[in-house]
Amino acid sequence: MKKIIVVPTDLTEASDQAIRQATVIARKARAKLVLLHILDNKSIPATDIEKKLNEQAYKIWEETALTCEVVLKEGSVFDTIPSLTREEDWDLMVIGFHDIKGIRQMLIGPDILKLVTKIAKPVLAIHEKAKQVDNFTRIILPVSSHETFIPAIEAMLFFAEFYPVEVHIYSINKAGFDWPKQLLLNIDETIKQFEAKGVKYKRIKEDQNSYSMGYAKQTLKYAESVNADFICIMSLPSKEYYYFAQSDKETLLLNESNIPVLCVGGGY
């Protein structure tokens, strides 16, 4: 079955950056692209939006021969997009955001996290200033104690199907803190599936050297040191780290190096 990659767009530069990145991935995966726009009472006339998006879709087809569909829906970004991801058979969403504007001019700070936690498909969040990645080769996968870690593993396998990725299974040893049993099980399952599928990986264990409440700062420091193409995180917090997980996820998403972040396991 042909894979489908969807890009929510509000015709801003942030959205255009996401479309460019999604097009690169779609070409590699031989996937269909869907340009999605959510109409609300602040939108310009639907006919004007549809015309602009159709022109964009035609240009993509002309340059790449990719199938590119335009979809317009009414509603709010925070309700309509999550609803569609539960209904449609999409494989990946690529979404752009900005420091002060983005989808519907409002995906800033906690807003991008608020949205991805509701989306039931993997979401690659791209900052407007992020560099386009033509060939994904190095991915950081921080391990977690989520009872359902499978979405993160499946997302890695998705990219490994088309790219020569090396996944860094990353964890931080915190003095006096014992890892939850579920976290250890998740590591074992990740390695088992990677080895079964022939996915190249490295098991990275670092002692804590960034003394903050969470793990985001040290994770980002490591990702920057190895020139990671993106970091994969679970959208929803685990029970053990709930009290600081929200802040950690915002730090990762809004990192100053503009490393893309793949958010998985959302939808509620």
Side-chain angles (χ1 to χ4, degrees), residues 31 34 84 109 116 150 182-183 190 211 240:
V34 175
L84 287 171
V116 300
I150 294 300
Q182 187 62 52
L183 186 147
T190 302
Y211 294 96
E240 285 81 6

Side-chain angles (χ1 to χ4, degrees), residues 10-20 96 98 101 128:
D10 59 359
L11 303 174
T12 62
E13 177 55 34
S15 297
D16 289 344
Q17 175 72 343
I19 290 172
R20 287 190 288 269
H98 191 279
K101 63 182 178 180
E128 180 183 49

Side-chain angles (χ1 to χ4, degrees), residues 49-192:
I49 293 172
E50 188 170 22
K51 180 182 177 182
K52 290 181 179 180
L53 291 180
N54 280 328
E55 289 173 352
Q56 203 164 16
Y58 179 79
K59 184 178 179 181
I60 290 171
W61 172 81
E62 193 175 39
E63 294 177 352
T64 67
L66 289 171
T67 301
C68 189
E69 177 184 352
V70 172
V71 174
L72 275 67
K73 295 286 184 180
E74 293 186 354
S76 75
V77 167
F78 295 102
D79 295 327
T80 306
I81 292 179
S83 178
L84 287 171
T85 60
R86 290 189 289 269
E87 298 169 3
E88 302 291 339
D89 191 23
W90 295 333
D91 297 282
L92 175 70
M93 178 176 288
V94 181
I95 192 165
F97 67 98
H98 191 279
D99 291 332
I100 58 172
K101 63 182 178 180
I103 297 298
R104 210 186 61 156
Q105 300 288 310
M106 66 178 298
L107 284 191
I108 58 174
D111 288 330
I112 184 67
L113 182 58
K114 176 183 174 182
L115 179 59
V116 300
T117 56
K118 295 182 177 182
I119 295 176
K121 299 290 193 300
V123 183
L124 186 62
I126 305 283
H127 191 279
E128 180 183 49
K129 297 177 183 177
K131 294 180 180 179
Q132 180 176 297
V133 181
D134 295 318
N135 195 36
F136 292 94
T137 57
R138 193 169 294 108
I139 301 170
I140 310 303
L141 177 62
V143 292
S144 74
S145 58
H146 289 76
E147 293 181 4
T148 304
F149 194 64
I150 294 300
I153 299 173
E154 290 178 341
M156 298 301 93
L157 296 179
F158 174 87
F159 278 88
E161 187 176 347
F162 314 110
Y163 291 100
V165 300
E166 176 184 82
V167 182
H168 292 203
I169 306 170
Y170 180 79
S171 62
I172 297 171
N173 298 317
K174 195 169 185 178
F177 180 79
D178 293 328
W179 286 355
K181 180 180 179 181
Q182 187 62 52
L183 186 147
L184 297 174
L185 291 173
N186 290 344
I187 293 172
D188 289 344
E189 182 62 23
T190 302
I191 292 173
K192 177 182 175 182

